[in-house]
Amino acid sequence: MVHTETVQAKIEVPVPCIDSVPAAPGFLPDSELLAPPNGSAVDRVWRDHLQRKQWEGQLEALLVACVGAKK
């Protein structure tokens, strides 16, 4: 005798949280940020530039991982 039974199971399936990674905005090249004549102003801009680049690197890594989950 064969016994057949239908069983429903809920299985979690990963879905992407975003469709793509937004393009990074353009930055001034390092040489322009460090060029004279306004050294102190450039130092502040340079510090902000480095901090923003670090933050964007972390953000991009998170976004790439999120997009990669769908592949």
Side-chain angles (χ1 to χ4, degrees):
M1 172 188 260
V2 176
H3 177 72
T4 303
E5 179 180 347
T6 302
V7 178
Q8 290 185 349
K10 293 184 179 182
I11 300 172
E12 293 185 21
V13 178
V15 295
C17 53
I18 59 175
D19 291 332
S20 64
V21 177
F27 291 107
L28 290 174
D30 298 349
S31 59
E32 287 185 37
L33 288 172
L34 294 173
N38 297 320
S40 64
V42 170
D43 288 343
R44 290 191 304 273
V45 172
W46 180 246
R47 182 200 66 220
D48 291 345
H49 173 73
L50 292 176
Q51 289 173 343
R52 184 174 45 195
K53 282 177 73 172
Q54 179 182 7
W55 175 79
E56 287 176 352
Q58 294 169 348
L59 178 61
E60 184 177 357
L62 292 171
L63 293 173
V64 167
C66 188
V67 170
K70 83 175 193 178
K71 294 180 179 179

